[in-house]
Amino acid sequence: MKIEKRVPQIVRKSGEILGAVAPTFIADPTGLLGLIITSIGEVASDTLNKKLSERERIRTNMAYQYFVEKLNLHQENGLMIRDDEFFRFSVGRRKKFEELFEAILLKSKDQYEEEKVKFFSNLYANGCIDTSLTPQTISLFIVILDKLTFHHLDVLNKFYILGADSNWEYNDRSYLSTKNINLPTYLAELQNLNLITPTFYGDAPLKITNLGEKLINSIEFENRFDDLSNEIILKNKN
């Protein structure tokens, strides 16, 4: 059975700036999807009702639109909304999925690197499906996404592509700096967040961690730009 869920009016109004669409038709086999769209629509409307600059309003609306599109795609692919504590009510506490979506909107609102807005939305939409993304993990990834620049994420993604085949070592950071002066700083900060393996000696390997892989998968990182400043990583060390 299909049900119609409309994007809240204030979101539609802001969406006109982007040429966004309003009605969304989504399958609702578990009965949870109606709750999600209704509750999240209210969170989005509440956020957009606040005093925002035009750019902040656009970014907030983008986050909502990206989320709805991604959730629709999940449904078209036959994926089911998770049915666990993520959507369950706790007496005296705010619903966890609402709390996290507000965090997504607030962080998206302030992103000067607007390409990252889609990563926040992907994270949340995937969290609605993937039971291995606990509320605590989603919350952690929201903080990490806010902290890291697009280039940090691009570097991490290149180590994701290399996977266990990465031959880079701690000693190679000086060489990497000759190709891109920012790379040693990116690597150090990724290591501090446990996204790249820690190093305690010169020939210690530089590889993506399980947490780093989980982050890249959850946000579905993609680089649509022609910037090749970090490409040296993919050449790997012979």
Side-chain angles (χ1 to χ4, degrees):
M1 186 177 76
K2 297 264 185 176
I3 58 172
E4 178 182 355
K5 295 296 176 186
R6 293 187 178 275
V7 178
Q9 182 177 1
I10 189 166
V11 179
R12 292 205 303 274
K13 182 178 179 182
S14 180
E16 291 170 2
I17 302 170
L18 306 174
V21 295
T24 306
F25 298 89
I26 329 176
D28 192 16
T30 64
L32 285 171
L33 198 55
L35 169 67
I36 298 170
I37 295 298
T38 300
S39 298
I40 283 176
E42 291 172 356
V43 173
S45 292
D46 180 65
T47 304
L48 285 163
N49 268 322
K50 298 174 182 177
K51 186 176 181 180
L52 303 174
S53 70
E54 193 60 33
R55 215 56 242 168
E56 290 172 335
R57 184 171 294 276
I58 289 173
R59 287 192 289 263
T60 303
N61 180 69
M62 285 168 60
Y64 182 89
Q65 296 287 339
Y66 284 145
F67 160 72
V68 171
E69 290 169 7
K70 188 65 181 179
L71 201 60
N72 267 320
L73 184 60
H74 283 330
Q75 292 289 295
E76 290 170 6
N77 290 334
L79 298 176
M80 300 289 291
I81 299 297
R82 64 194 290 175
D83 186 10
D84 60 9
E85 73 281 354
F86 188 71
F87 293 113
R88 293 200 180 110
F89 295 84
S90 297
V91 177
R93 292 189 60 183
R94 188 183 182 191
K95 295 185 283 292
K96 181 60 67 175
F97 75 94
E98 286 186 357
E99 183 178 271
L100 290 172
F101 191 69
E102 182 174 0
I104 291 290
L105 293 181
L106 292 176
K107 294 300 184 182
S108 296
K109 169 181 70 71
D110 293 328
Q111 293 304 310
Y112 67 92
E113 293 182 301
E114 294 184 352
E115 191 71 14
K116 286 172 57 183
V117 171
K118 191 169 188 177
F119 301 153
F120 280 101
S121 298
N122 285 345
L123 170 63
Y124 189 80
N126 287 330
C128 290
I129 301 295
D130 184 359
T131 55
S132 71
L133 278 171
T134 65
Q136 293 82 7
T137 301
I138 294 173
S139 181
L140 175 63
F141 283 171
I142 290 172
V143 172
I144 290 175
L145 266 181
D146 186 47
K147 177 181 178 64
L148 298 180
T149 66
F150 185 88
H151 278 285
H152 282 94
L153 296 169
D154 185 47
V155 169
L156 183 63
N157 185 61
K158 286 174 170 49
F159 276 95
Y160 175 84
I161 294 171
L162 291 177
D165 294 328
S166 172
N167 294 322
W168 295 111
E169 299 174 348
Y170 181 80
N171 282 337
D172 298 320
R173 301 206 309 177
S174 295
Y175 167 73
L176 290 172
S177 70
T178 66
K179 304 299 181 180
N180 179 349
I181 195 172
N182 300 315
L183 280 175
T185 301
Y186 293 150
L187 289 170
E189 292 176 340
L190 290 170
Q191 286 180 303
N192 286 339
L193 292 169
N194 193 32
L195 302 174
I196 294 290
T197 51
T199 50
F200 304 103
Y201 46 89
D203 60 351
L206 293 172
K207 299 180 186 292
I208 192 169
T209 64
N210 291 338
L211 186 68
E213 289 181 349
K214 188 68 175 176
L215 174 62
I216 291 296
N217 284 327
S218 300
I219 67 175
E220 298 184 29
F221 180 86
E222 61 177 334
N223 187 346
R224 299 180 295 137
F225 303 110
D226 295 327
D227 186 351
L228 302 177
S229 58
N230 303 318
E231 287 300 301
I232 183 62
I233 295 172
L234 289 181
K235 295 182 179 180
N236 215 346
K237 177 188 173 184
N238 296 324

